[in-house]
Amino acid sequence: MQTETWHSPVGLTHDAGWELDVRRTLPTPPSEIWQRLLAEWLPQWLGLESVPQMVGAPVRRGGRVHGRVIGCHVGRRVRLRWTPDTLDHETVFQVTLQEAPESLGRATILEIHQERLLGAAERQGLLDHWNLVLDDVVAAHGRELAGGRLDLQG
């Protein structure tokens, strides 16, 4: 008896549509990154007024609800149902912070995960976008540590 196996393309899941993951390491402890992430980076990246840390809380832009917090582990992870400006459907967006291995010193791995994307082209466009965003975070953070001010593009 021969069994068939189906290999899905990279980024295609059986239950969450297309998804992506992007990671970067920053030479700063997670507690400091968490504060920046919630207060500055996520609102800027997602075009939201703020990102609450309470499950079920709405996320707003221009006074209108554009999603909800569906998970939050304070200091470590926030997960949202969110409709990006560039899409006509809701996605699941998650940012996770992890302590980097000791060999990297006091550093944080910042990971963006997005799922419920509708196709390979949509995934690739968002993958390119989030790679640029995180590259900018790393560069701006490096300038700040070298004495400059942290100024991120969105």
Side-chain angles (χ1 to χ4, degrees), residues 67-84:
R68 293 209 174 276
V69 176
I70 58 173
C72 186
H73 184 279
V74 175
R76 181 162 180 221
R77 175 179 295 130
V78 64
R79 187 170 170 89
L80 312 168
R81 288 193 186 277
W82 168 67
T83 303

Side-chain angles (χ1 to χ4, degrees), residues 33-154:
I33 298 297
W34 181 256
Q35 295 305 315
R36 275 273 178 61
L37 181 69
L38 271 282
E40 301 170 33
W41 299 345
L42 276 178
Q44 183 178 353
W45 298 344
L46 304 180
L48 300 171
E49 293 163 9
S50 67
V51 177
Q53 297 180 60
M54 185 173 73
V55 173
V59 291
R60 301 176 187 277
R61 178 177 52 244
R64 294 189 60 216
V65 174
H66 283 266
R68 293 209 174 276
V69 176
I70 58 173
C72 186
H73 184 279
V74 175
R76 181 162 180 221
R77 175 179 295 130
V78 64
R79 187 170 170 89
L80 312 168
R81 288 193 186 277
W82 168 67
T83 303
D85 284 342
T86 58
L87 303 179
D88 62 357
H89 64 91
E90 186 177 77
T91 67
V92 173
F93 181 87
Q94 174 178 292
V95 178
T96 303
L97 303 180
Q98 300 177 51
E99 279 190 44
E102 285 185 34
S103 62
L104 296 175
R106 292 188 46 112
T108 301
I109 298 169
L110 170 63
E111 176 186 357
I112 290 177
H113 174 84
Q114 193 167 6
E115 59 190 54
R116 307 230 170 159
L117 307 175
L118 297 182
E122 185 172 282
R123 176 187 183 269
Q124 189 60 54
L126 286 165
L127 190 60
D128 293 345
H129 170 74
W130 293 120
N131 272 303
L132 288 172
V133 167
L134 290 190
D135 286 346
D136 186 55
V137 167
V138 170
H141 194 69
R143 287 191 302 273
E144 181 183 66
L145 291 176
R149 184 178 179 287
L150 188 58
D151 185 25
L152 302 175
Q153 301 299 311

